[in-house]
Amino acid sequence: MVVSNVGLSRLVGLGFRQNGLERNTLHFSASCPLGAVLGVLRVSSPSDPPLHSRVGSSFTMFGDLFEEDYSSVSNYQCGKEKKLKTKTLEPPAPRGFTNLSGIRNQGGTCYLNSLLQTLHFTPEFREALFSLDPEELGSFEDKDKPDAKVRIIPLQLQRLFAQLLLLDQDAASTADLTDSFGWTSNEEDFLDLTVAVKNVSGLEDALWTMFVEEEMFDCDNLYHCGTCDRLVKATKSAKLRKLPPFLTVSLLRFNFDFVKRERYKETSCYTFPLRINLKPFCEQSDSDDLEYVYDLFSVIIHKGGCYGGHYHVYIKDVDHLGNWQFQEEESKPVVNLKDLQNEEEIDDDPLIILKAILLQEENNVIPVDQLGQKLLKKTGMSWNKKYRKQYGPLRKFLQLHSQIFLLSSDESTISLLKNGSLQAESDFQRNDQHIFKTFTSKSPGLNDKTSCPHWFDINDSKVQPIKEKEIERQFQGKESAYMLFYRKSQLQRPPEAQANPRYGVPRHLLSEMDAANIELQLKRAEWDSTNNNLELHLHLGPHYHFFSGALHPVVSQAESVWDLTFDKRKTLGDLRQSIFQLLEFWEGDMVLSVAKFVPAGLHVYQTLDGDDLTLWEMEIVDGEDLFVWNGVEVGGIQIPTGNDCEPLLINVLHLAASSEGDKCQQLIESPHVFPSNAQMGEVLTTLAVPMGVLFINTTDSAEEENWVAIPREDLKKTFRELGLGNHSSVLIQDSRDDNSVLLKQGKWFTGMSEISWLQVQNLCELESEEKQVKISSTMNTVVFDIRIKAIKELKLMKELAENSCLRPIDRNGKLLCPVPDSYTLKEAELKMGSSLGLCPGKAPTSSQLFLFFTVGSDVQPGTEMEIIVEETMSVGDCLKLMLEKSGLSGDAWHLRKMDWCYEAGEPLCEEDAALRELAIRSGDTLLLIEGKLPPPTQPGLKRMLGFGGFLRVPVWWYQPGGPTGHWKSPVRMNGTPSPGGVCRPASTHGAPGDPHGEVSLHFLGDLEISEDATVAELKSQAMTLSPSSELAIPSPAFLRAWTVEGQRPSRLLRANQQQLKEYKLGRNTEICLEPLEKEENLGPHDAVLRMQMRLPGQRAYAPCADLVWDTARGWTASSLRQRVAYFCALPVEKIEIAKYFPEKFEWLPISSWNQQLTKRKKKKKQDNLQGAPYYLKDGDTIGIKNLLVEDDEDFSTVRDDLGKETQKQLALGKKSQEALCVPSSDLFSGAKTPGRPRAPEASLSIHVGSFR
């Protein structure tokens, strides 16, 4: 008798009862891939007859189910053997944080890997396998002997399990094991229980149908009794007779549709318990009830369809061999919708469920069709079955709740609005706190790791821990359970097996794995060393000399270059130390620079800086050329470095001179080297041609020879700006010659002939045969005629005649303002030979303006936007229109007109004024500047009414006396009183020898501003105060803001976008603004210092200059000295620096770093300059002494001597009028700010670190 779709275990009885008596028992079996492949799970009784199944049928009946679907395999899986061979040189990686080993996928072996891992994590099977000694199995050494009996499969399986337990690699290989299979048709016993999935809710339901329900034989379907030889009533039932210690359950998810005549995978929900009691399904027995209880310990999962897919396995680590730890979970609670099903309130509200699904998606966005699928997966029912009758279609429901959900324009994606996302989270936190408490109580995994089961997801090579509740996700869907493995609950493991991978492993395998681990470590170390070593080519500076614009070896290339193998994980300091040890003859400073060979020779590009950085962090590559020198000169010549001055080898053509000195018509080509940042006119100077015309060759390889003359105004452009590179050709013609030496189509032509045409380019984004055409014209030709003729010659659509315009193109390729059709070329001020662009869109009418605009004051070519507005439009409406087109929002913006020198001009303050009234013309460029202009009258109403959050800040104007890098004010401010205060010149007790020492603080006025405003907004509003507005500062980025303390600038407000309240400004805080000549955007680690170079032979200093110092690597003396040396273009060992203390009239030298490193000396650890004794901070004055011209140790000046003498007299009480006249402020001092009378103050000095 055959029962279809029901496969029972080897020990299943099938009986018939007649009148309550058992008549006979039949035994049968079904195929099982586990038993067919390995034949290892075998538990039988001597009284039971053996049953068999062939291996071949086990695979052919499933077709290509076990073939890999590589489209669904994740990135860490290897799909083909060729990919494995690319990494044969690299040893396998060590185990991950789980301390478990995976199995590499050979290609289509993911199902085998899952089965092998299940057997490996079955301790009883693993130990039984290890109990087979070599006497029974043989050994690998004897496998080739003809008389030896060697059982290869068990031996390979032993070795594989030993590797999974003990070998330190992330994944083991099954290549040797599968080779030993041979894939022959052996007959083996097996154990499994095959259950149906279709139309069944779960495993217990299927077992109930198979072993509890009875089939009745009556009426027309009577049973023929062999004993009675007649038809009788009977019942048929099946019972489990004897249970094995391990139970394998196969789920029949793959079926055949006889209507469609195709296979399909059953993806419906099919539940199975973590613990199951099989007593109701067994024959009656006196056995203990615990004999029937089984625990789930492995789930093989199939992902994909019936024609292909991928297998992985969930396994319970019974012996706790792995490290079961999780990454830190997100603080945001994740809603498990399967637990929410038990809550009727949430289950009946689709709004909460849909919001919860979107909250779990990235950026809260998901396609609408996937939203329905996720709803089905999470709730077990589709939208149409559960909610359509009450709420209508899903899309309509989403549209009705537009305040929460946002459908895309094509209704393909749905997103959660920001307020909806916040509302959804608050709803869950407010109304469903008891549900989250329930979730917490149901997941004991993190708090009690020793008592809870340890489950892992083993996906070929990848192993990661999972929680037991994640098994429920495999009940249904395209990724669902395919095979279940249960073990008897009574099976107990010995304590010594817990967390002990060496337990039960034979000694010979332990020795083999220990030796393999040692070999792996050696291979990893060897590979690591090979992979991280760099071959560096060291070019020694003393062996080179500089000529013809590049570096060349003095003797030979072999003697000038030393090869060095170095580990890229070591630092630049280690490399420098190694080179010092290698070059024992080296003296003085050593600088390492990246160099490259160019056609002209060797060129130095960038100097390597940062001894604490590794070569890998500095992006030093294998085979890099490094130039070793002192950083200043080579052979007594200071060499140019950097990409800007890269030498170019130019082929220069010129006429040869005859013996009489006249020039003949023969061209001579000679190579010359020029820096790429040199002006083109240097070619004429080099060739001694005072008056000449230059031509450059723009010929492509497939075109005829084409030479273009360089306009005289372009001779000041650099080679790089004109697009010249190595081996470019330049021709020189004396402008006094009558004819040109260039040929055009076989005829001589002159480059100075009269041009009577315009060139029109097709910029309408429409395909045409010609990209550009030349239109003959005169100065009186109308623009409209030129445009129509260009459309015809370009063979474009006639419709463009109504919707196109001509726009001039300047020499940089920028499109200028469209030219009205009614203008002549003379009226439009167009020159013959000009280039015009035929562009879509109409030209502005006589009452309209064509304007360019951009965001910010830093106008980059090609970044301007365009707009056409009415000339009667107000400034405010124009600002709103430009903000809308720029995609900006907010009202903290204002407009400025770009002046003739391409800088931000005065702001357009009158928002109601028309553009025409403010003399705005077509072609003008307006700048969108961040910062709202204050109203005409300062509103102090909020402060008067007691509103908080506002500061009344006195603003002062501070301008040091003549340092480089500062704004040179055309307005004389010293001594000029202002409406809000007075201006007093500051005394200069700290500017030793500075002729510009006297500086001023000029009161601009009080500014009321919110504490939430940024420093940039403070600068913007301060720029509108008079007389600051008279200076026409381009933008707030040209201002530096300081707090005023102790009658001088004190703390630097460095971050423009930082709010004022973050600086903790008090109500008595005063601000001073320092103008700059260029924009400044200081980083969080940038310090601003005042540099003064000591004048040789004098006890005085040159005017101060600002130095921006990046302190990201620490406030060390060596870092500061290198920055100062670079700033002054001096060798670091040839300078001395000192900090000035104006209150003491003293200079404190900053100790130098020993530049001459040797192999016996190490760099001294540098102290932090922010601490004692320097207490360095922003605005401090640093004196610099050039030891090349002055080598004494004195930094003081005559004023310092007078200041110290005055302090002594004041200390003795001898105050005199002369002492009061001595200047008493440093370069960074300011005038005393007028204010309210205060009580006598006592002097207090506290030295602390600088905290930012």
Side-chain angles (χ1 to χ4, degrees):
M1 178 178 293
V2 177
V3 182
S4 63
N5 286 338
V6 180
L8 304 180
S9 75
R10 185 187 176 286
L11 302 175
V12 174
L14 178 65
F16 291 88
R17 291 204 312 268
Q18 177 185 352
N19 299 329
L21 299 176
E22 179 175 338
R23 297 294 296 172
N24 59 353
T25 301
L26 301 178
H27 298 278
F28 58 93
S29 63
S31 61
C32 168
L34 173 62
V37 176
L38 301 175
V40 289
L41 282 178
R42 179 177 181 178
V43 180
S44 60
S45 173
S47 61
D48 298 325
L51 300 173
H52 305 88
S53 177
R54 290 191 174 273
V55 176
S57 62
S58 300
F59 287 93
T60 57
M61 67 175 293
F62 289 99
D64 53 3
L65 278 178
F66 305 104
E67 294 298 327
E68 285 292 321
D69 179 11
Y70 298 106
S71 61
S72 63
V73 179
S74 54
N75 294 332
Y76 55 78
Q77 300 159 353
C78 295
K80 296 184 179 180
E81 188 177 0
K82 291 182 179 179
K83 294 184 179 180
L84 294 174
K85 291 183 179 180
T86 59
K87 296 186 178 181
T88 52
L89 297 179
E90 180 180 356
R95 300 189 179 210
F97 73 97
T98 61
N99 200 31
L100 295 178
S101 177
I103 300 178
R104 282 190 289 275
N105 193 325
Q106 298 185 54
T109 60
C110 57
Y111 180 71
L112 174 63
N113 294 347
S114 301
L115 290 173
L116 290 174
Q117 290 284 12
T118 300
L119 295 176
H120 168 246
F121 279 93
T122 305
E124 292 79 5
F125 173 78
R126 184 178 67 239
E127 293 168 5
L129 178 66
F130 285 145
S131 66
L132 300 176
D133 53 28
E135 296 180 359
E136 182 179 358
L137 301 179
S139 63
F140 287 107
E141 291 77 8
D142 300 333
K143 65 179 181 179
D144 296 329
K145 296 180 180 179
D147 298 333
K149 295 183 179 180
V150 180
R151 303 183 65 182
I152 298 297
I153 294 179
L155 287 174
Q156 293 289 2
L157 202 57
Q158 279 186 342
R159 176 175 288 177
L160 175 64
F161 282 11
Q163 292 175 352
L164 293 175
L165 285 172
L166 301 172
L167 196 58
D168 184 20
Q169 59 181 4
D170 62 340
S173 173
T174 58
D176 295 336
L177 178 63
T178 54
D179 291 343
S180 66
F181 283 167
W183 305 108
T184 59
S185 299
N186 298 325
E187 295 184 354
E188 298 288 348
D189 292 350
F190 58 84
L191 291 169
D192 83 324
L193 192 64
T194 306
V195 296
V197 174
K198 185 178 181 181
N199 300 327
V200 181
S201 62
L203 177 60
E204 292 173 314
D205 187 17
L207 294 177
W208 186 271
T209 303
M210 295 170 57
F211 302 117
V212 177
E213 293 183 354
E214 297 179 343
E215 182 181 354
M216 301 298 297
F217 293 86
D218 57 2
C219 299
D220 297 335
N221 186 26
L222 295 175
Y223 173 71
H224 181 268
C225 178
T227 303
C228 304
D229 194 20
R230 61 186 179 91
L231 297 174
V232 297
K233 293 182 178 181
T235 59
K236 184 181 73 171
S237 65
K239 291 289 184 180
L240 297 174
R241 173 173 294 174
K242 189 173 183 181
L243 298 176
F246 303 96
L247 180 64
T248 303
V249 181
S250 298
L251 307 183
L252 292 177
R253 287 196 177 272
F254 303 98
N255 290 322
F256 187 82
D257 190 333
F258 290 94
V259 178
K260 297 181 179 180
R261 297 184 179 183
E262 63 181 10
R263 288 182 294 174
Y264 70 95
K265 180 179 179 180
E266 192 68 48
T267 59
S268 59
C269 182
Y270 190 90
T271 62
F272 48 88
L274 298 175
R275 171 168 289 187
I276 188 172
N277 189 343
L278 297 180
K279 187 172 184 179
F281 316 114
C282 297
E283 292 182 340
Q284 295 182 358
S285 174
D286 297 334
S287 302
D288 187 6
D289 290 348
L290 295 179
E291 289 286 341
Y292 302 95
V293 180
Y294 283 77
D295 290 330
L296 183 71
F297 77 96
S298 178
V299 182
I300 293 181
I301 301 160
H302 180 262
K303 179 180 180 181
C306 63
Y307 294 100
H310 178 68
Y311 289 91
H312 62 107
V313 61
Y314 286 178
I315 290 182
K316 181 165 67 173
D317 185 8
V318 178
D319 283 347
H320 290 193
L321 300 176
N323 182 22
W324 194 66
Q325 291 183 355
F326 295 89
Q327 305 295 331
E328 295 184 2
E329 296 185 351
E330 298 180 0
S331 58
K332 179 179 179 180
V334 178
V335 181
N336 191 334
L337 292 181
K338 284 192 171 296
D339 294 329
L340 292 179
Q341 287 184 4
N342 299 327
E343 299 294 329
E344 295 181 358
E345 177 183 355
I346 296 179
D347 191 50
D348 294 334
D349 189 356
L351 193 62
I352 297 180
I353 295 181
L354 292 177
K355 288 192 292 186
I357 292 176
L358 284 171
L359 281 174
Q360 294 177 350
E361 297 297 319
E362 184 178 1
N363 299 326
N364 300 338
V365 179
I366 187 176
V368 177
D369 55 347
Q370 292 188 17
L371 179 63
Q373 295 175 7
K374 292 211 178 256
L375 181 68
L376 172 64
K377 184 177 180 180
K378 299 298 183 182
T379 63
M381 296 183 67
S382 65
W383 175 273
N384 292 338
K385 289 184 179 181
K386 192 173 183 66
Y387 300 112
R388 183 183 177 92
K389 186 175 181 181
Q390 182 178 358
Y391 298 98
L394 177 59
R395 293 181 188 271
K396 183 178 179 181
F397 179 84
L398 297 173
Q399 292 172 352
L400 291 176
H401 295 80
S402 58
Q403 73 278 9
I404 298 177
F405 306 105
L406 177 63
L407 273 170
S408 61
S409 58
D410 56 354
E411 297 186 355
S412 61
T413 60
I414 183 70
S415 59
L416 192 64
L417 294 177
K418 186 175 181 181
N419 55 354
S421 175
L422 298 176
Q423 183 66 26
E425 292 182 2
S426 63
D427 288 344
F428 278 106
Q429 294 175 359
R430 181 175 64 253
N431 299 328
D432 304 300
Q433 292 180 357
H434 62 284
I435 297 176
F436 291 109
K437 293 179 181 178
T438 304
F439 294 169
T440 306
S441 63
K442 289 183 179 180
S443 56
L446 293 178
N447 299 329
D448 190 7
K449 292 184 173 60
T450 58
S451 62
C452 64
H454 292 190
W455 283 85
F456 291 91
D457 178 11
I458 304 181
N459 194 337
D460 289 337
S461 302
K462 184 177 181 181
V463 183
Q464 60 182 5
I466 60 172
K467 298 178 182 178
E468 195 173 51
K469 63 181 180 180
E470 295 187 28
I471 299 176
E472 299 177 4
R473 299 180 180 178
Q474 309 304 329
F475 285 169
Q476 62 184 354
K478 290 186 176 181
E479 183 177 8
S480 53
Y482 173 74
M483 186 174 289
L484 310 176
F485 296 86
Y486 287 88
R487 58 182 286 131
K488 278 192 175 182
S489 302
Q490 285 188 330
L491 295 177
Q492 300 294 328
R493 299 290 300 146
E496 57 270 20
Q498 292 293 311
N500 184 11
R502 303 176 71 89
Y503 178 77
V505 182
R507 290 185 178 180
H508 69 281
L509 288 178
L510 289 175
S511 302
E512 181 181 343
M513 293 302 107
D514 292 341
N517 280 325
I518 295 175
E519 184 180 359
L520 268 179
Q521 293 178 0
L522 294 176
K523 287 183 178 180
R524 288 182 184 133
E526 181 181 357
W527 182 87
D528 191 56
S529 175
T530 303
N531 190 60
N532 290 288
N533 282 346
L534 297 177
E535 291 292 335
L536 303 178
H537 307 302
L538 305 180
H539 299 264
L540 308 182
H543 294 178
Y544 278 81
H545 60 152
F546 184 82
F547 71 92
S548 295
L551 294 168
H552 300 272
V554 176
V555 181
S556 66
Q557 189 74 26
E559 296 183 5
S560 304
V561 181
W562 290 24
D563 294 331
L564 175 65
T565 302
F566 202 75
D567 193 337
K568 67 181 180 181
R569 295 167 298 181
K570 292 186 177 182
T571 64
L572 178 63
D574 298 332
L575 175 62
R576 198 190 311 273
Q577 183 71 28
S578 299
I579 297 177
F580 264 118
Q581 296 176 0
L582 186 65
L583 308 177
E584 297 180 354
F585 62 86
W586 194 275
E587 294 183 359
D589 190 21
M590 175 183 289
V591 175
L592 302 180
S593 302
V594 176
K596 292 181 181 179
F597 281 102
V598 294
L602 185 69
H603 180 66
V604 177
Y605 285 86
Q606 65 183 43
T607 298
L608 300 180
D609 188 18
D611 284 359
D612 297 334
L613 296 178
T614 64
L615 301 189
W616 178 79
E617 292 174 334
M618 304 184 75
E619 300 181 354
I620 301 298
V621 298
D622 191 29
E624 191 86 78
D625 293 288
L626 298 181
F627 192 66
V628 185
W629 60 316
N630 58 10
V632 180
E633 48 82 22
V634 174
I637 300 176
Q638 187 171 356
I639 65 172
T641 61
N643 189 58
D644 293 338
C645 54
E646 176 183 329
L648 300 178
L649 185 62
I650 304 297
N651 297 324
V652 181
L653 291 84
H654 57 92
L655 290 174
S658 62
S659 58
E660 290 80 8
D662 299 331
K663 293 184 179 179
C664 60
Q665 292 297 321
Q666 181 182 0
L667 284 176
I668 295 179
E669 182 177 357
S670 59
H672 291 268
V673 178
F674 299 95
S676 57
N677 59 353
Q679 294 182 358
M680 197 67 191
E682 289 192 12
V683 178
L684 299 175
T685 305
T686 304
L687 274 296
V689 180
M691 298 177 61
V693 179
L694 293 181
F695 296 84
I696 59 176
N697 192 348
T698 61
T699 305
D700 293 335
S701 58
E703 297 180 359
E704 297 181 356
E705 191 172 2
N706 184 26
W707 293 83
V708 177
I710 302 178
R712 184 160 297 276
E713 58 269 19
D714 286 352
L715 293 179
K716 295 184 178 180
K717 290 186 176 181
T718 64
F719 286 84
R720 179 157 292 171
E721 290 175 341
L722 291 174
L724 295 181
N726 285 298
H727 306 296
S728 294
S729 297
V730 176
L731 185 141
I732 303 179
Q733 178 185 354
D734 197 324
S735 59
R736 294 168 292 184
D737 293 345
D738 295 333
N739 296 322
S740 171
V741 295
L742 299 177
L743 281 173
K744 179 83 172 181
Q745 298 179 352
K747 297 181 180 179
W748 297 96
F749 79 98
T750 60
M752 309 303 294
S753 60
E754 183 66 23
I755 300 176
S756 60
W757 46 263
L758 294 174
Q759 184 170 272
V760 180
Q761 300 181 15
N762 177 19
L763 302 180
C764 291
E765 299 181 357
L766 297 176
E767 295 184 0
S768 63
E769 297 180 0
E770 300 290 338
K771 295 183 179 179
Q772 59 187 19
V773 293
K774 291 183 178 180
I775 307 298
S776 300
S777 59
T778 64
M779 295 304 294
N780 295 322
T781 305
V782 181
V783 174
F784 175 79
D785 297 335
I786 297 176
R787 183 167 63 87
I788 298 301
K789 191 173 182 180
I791 293 175
K792 292 180 179 179
E793 294 193 12
L794 289 171
K795 298 180 182 180
L796 298 174
M797 296 183 300
K798 296 181 179 179
E799 289 78 3
L800 284 177
E802 302 295 332
N803 188 27
S804 62
C805 62
L806 290 178
R807 299 179 60 179
I809 304 175
D810 66 3
R811 67 182 61 181
N812 296 321
K814 178 183 176 182
L815 288 172
L816 304 180
C817 178
V819 181
D821 284 346
S822 59
Y823 281 20
T824 63
L825 297 184
K826 186 176 182 180
E827 293 172 341
E829 298 180 355
L830 293 176
K831 297 181 180 180
M832 287 297 175
S834 301
S835 293
L836 301 176
L838 181 64
C839 303
K842 295 183 179 181
T845 63
S846 58
S847 63
Q848 292 178 328
L849 299 177
F850 185 91
L851 302 177
F852 296 96
F853 69 97
T854 185
V855 180
S857 59
D858 187 11
V859 182
Q860 298 294 333
T863 61
E864 302 95 336
M865 290 171 278
E866 303 165 355
I867 192 172
I868 296 178
V869 296
E870 296 292 335
E871 61 181 0
T872 57
M873 178 178 286
S874 66
V875 174
D877 293 339
C878 182
L879 174 61
K880 293 179 182 178
L881 194 59
M882 290 180 176
L883 288 174
E884 181 180 354
K885 192 169 183 179
S886 303
L888 301 174
S889 59
D891 56 354
W893 298 88
H894 67 277
L895 287 177
R896 289 175 180 260
K897 181 180 177 182
M898 191 170 68
D899 58 17
W900 61 273
C901 57
Y902 300 98
E903 295 180 351
E906 297 182 0
L908 307 182
C909 300
E910 303 178 18
E911 292 189 356
D912 296 332
L915 297 176
R916 179 177 57 187
E917 298 174 357
L918 299 179
I920 303 298
R921 301 289 181 264
S922 286
D924 287 349
T925 300
L926 299 183
L927 305 179
L928 283 169
I929 305 298
E930 192 172 5
K932 183 175 179 61
L933 295 176
T937 58
Q938 293 289 340
L941 183 59
K942 289 189 176 181
R943 181 176 296 277
M944 294 172 59
L945 295 177
F947 292 150
F950 276 79
L951 295 174
R952 186 181 183 88
V953 181
V955 181
W956 296 79
W957 186 265
Y958 168 68
Q959 184 168 352
T964 59
H966 290 80
W967 188 271
K968 294 179 174 58
S969 170
V971 181
R972 182 173 181 84
M973 303 179 67
N974 291 343
T976 305
S978 64
V982 297
C983 173
R984 299 181 182 178
S987 57
T988 58
H989 69 263
D994 181 13
H996 307 281
E998 294 191 1
V999 295
S1000 299
L1001 283 177
H1002 184 83
F1003 185 68
L1004 298 179
D1006 291 333
L1007 190 66
E1008 289 189 0
I1009 191 169
S1010 171
E1011 291 180 341
D1012 295 328
T1014 63
V1015 175
E1017 292 172 345
L1018 170 66
K1019 296 178 182 178
S1020 298
Q1021 296 193 26
M1023 288 169 57
T1024 61
L1025 298 176
S1026 178
S1028 174
S1029 59
E1030 301 176 3
L1031 296 177
I1033 302 297
S1035 70
F1038 286 82
L1039 291 175
R1040 188 184 292 161
W1042 304 79
T1043 60
V1044 179
E1045 295 179 10
Q1047 306 171 5
R1048 70 180 63 164
S1050 174
R1051 183 159 57 113
L1052 177 62
L1053 308 182
R1054 66 182 66 250
N1056 284 330
Q1057 300 305 320
Q1058 193 166 358
Q1059 293 179 329
L1060 297 179
K1061 63 182 179 182
E1062 297 179 10
Y1063 287 103
K1064 302 185 183 302
L1065 302 179
R1067 294 195 177 275
N1068 296 326
T1069 301
E1070 299 179 357
I1071 301 294
C1072 69
L1073 299 177
E1074 177 184 356
L1076 305 173
E1077 282 191 347
K1078 60 181 180 179
E1079 293 187 9
E1080 181 177 75
N1081 187 14
L1082 297 177
H1085 300 289
D1086 290 339
V1088 178
L1089 302 175
R1090 308 291 191 185
M1091 298 289 108
Q1092 278 193 287
M1093 177 66 72
R1094 188 174 178 90
L1095 299 177
Q1098 306 178 36
R1099 295 186 65 193
Y1101 289 85
C1104 66
D1106 285 352
L1107 172 71
V1108 178
W1109 172 35
D1110 184 5
T1111 63
R1113 299 173 188 168
W1115 289 65
T1116 62
S1118 62
S1119 176
L1120 177 59
R1121 286 177 55 82
Q1122 292 189 22
R1123 180 67 182 94
V1124 173
Y1126 179 80
F1127 181 78
C1128 300
L1130 291 173
V1132 69
E1133 71 274 8
K1134 298 301 181 182
I1135 64 168
E1136 287 292 341
I1137 58 176
K1139 183 201 169 180
Y1140 186 63
F1141 291 88
E1143 66 277 1
K1144 299 180 180 179
F1145 300 97
E1146 291 181 353
W1147 295 86
L1148 180 60
I1150 298 177
S1151 58
S1152 61
W1153 167 43
N1154 184 12
Q1155 298 293 321
Q1156 297 185 2
L1157 292 176
T1158 64
K1159 58 185 179 181
R1160 296 183 180 181
K1161 295 182 181 180
K1162 297 183 179 180
K1163 185 169 66 175
K1164 181 181 178 181
K1165 184 178 179 181
Q1166 299 296 311
D1167 296 329
N1168 193 331
L1169 296 181
Q1170 292 178 291
Y1174 300 104
Y1175 305 105
L1176 194 64
K1177 64 181 184 303
D1178 289 312
D1180 282 349
T1181 301
I1182 300 295
I1184 309 169
K1185 185 180 295 186
N1186 185 356
L1187 298 182
L1188 295 174
V1189 296
E1190 188 177 15
D1191 57 356
D1192 64 320
E1193 299 180 355
D1194 183 24
F1195 277 88
S1196 63
T1197 65
V1198 176
R1199 295 192 178 207
D1200 294 331
D1201 297 340
L1202 296 176
K1204 289 181 180 180
E1205 183 65 26
T1206 303
Q1207 283 186 339
K1208 291 181 181 179
Q1209 296 177 4
L1210 292 176
L1212 297 174
K1214 299 179 179 179
K1215 298 182 180 180
S1216 62
Q1217 187 67 25
E1218 180 182 358
L1220 294 175
C1221 297
V1222 176
S1224 59
S1225 174
D1226 68 337
L1227 280 174
F1228 209 28
S1229 64
K1232 294 184 178 180
T1233 58
R1236 297 179 294 274
R1238 299 180 179 177
E1241 297 179 351
S1243 176
L1244 178 63
S1245 177
I1246 302 177
H1247 293 295
V1248 297
S1250 176
F1251 297 95
R1252 289 200 294 268

